[in-house]
Amino acid sequence: MEYVSRAPGPPLDGLIDDLYYLEGAPPYSRLMLPAAPAPLLIVNLGAPFLIRAGTDVEAVEYTDGCAVTTPTRAWEFGYPTQSGV
């Protein structure tokens, strides 16, 4: 999987800490992410991905992307076979 990360320049650097892009076959099918002090905007450029929050039994499928607003508990991100995020 290719991972490219960039810090935005002014004026976005005051609002955005990191911009990153993932593409290709992920090394694992799921990733557990901890609670975070900042919101995330995920724009999907490939196959649908899955998100399961906390102890939810079922994961929710996202085709276009989603906004994760300051998660207060761990959540699971399920990668598709080929990713573009």
Side-chain angles (χ1 to χ4, degrees):
M1 173 176 275
E2 178 184 9
Y3 174 82
V4 178
S5 176
R6 300 280 187 268
L12 293 177
D13 61 341
L15 300 170
I16 299 172
D17 292 326
D18 185 29
L19 297 170
Y20 68 90
Y21 174 72
L22 300 171
E23 181 178 30
Y28 33 76
S29 61
R30 294 180 307 210
L31 177 65
M32 283 300 285
L33 298 163
L40 299 168
L41 175 62
I42 302 170
V43 178
N44 189 22
L45 303 171
F49 58 87
L50 300 172
I51 290 181
R52 183 170 53 174
T55 58
D56 291 349
V57 175
E58 301 223 8
V60 176
E61 182 177 85
Y62 292 89
T63 303
D64 298 328
C66 67
V68 180
T69 58
T70 317
T72 57
R73 58 186 173 173
W75 54 290
E76 181 181 291
F77 185 89
Y79 289 101
T81 306
Q82 286 293 314
S83 190
V85 179

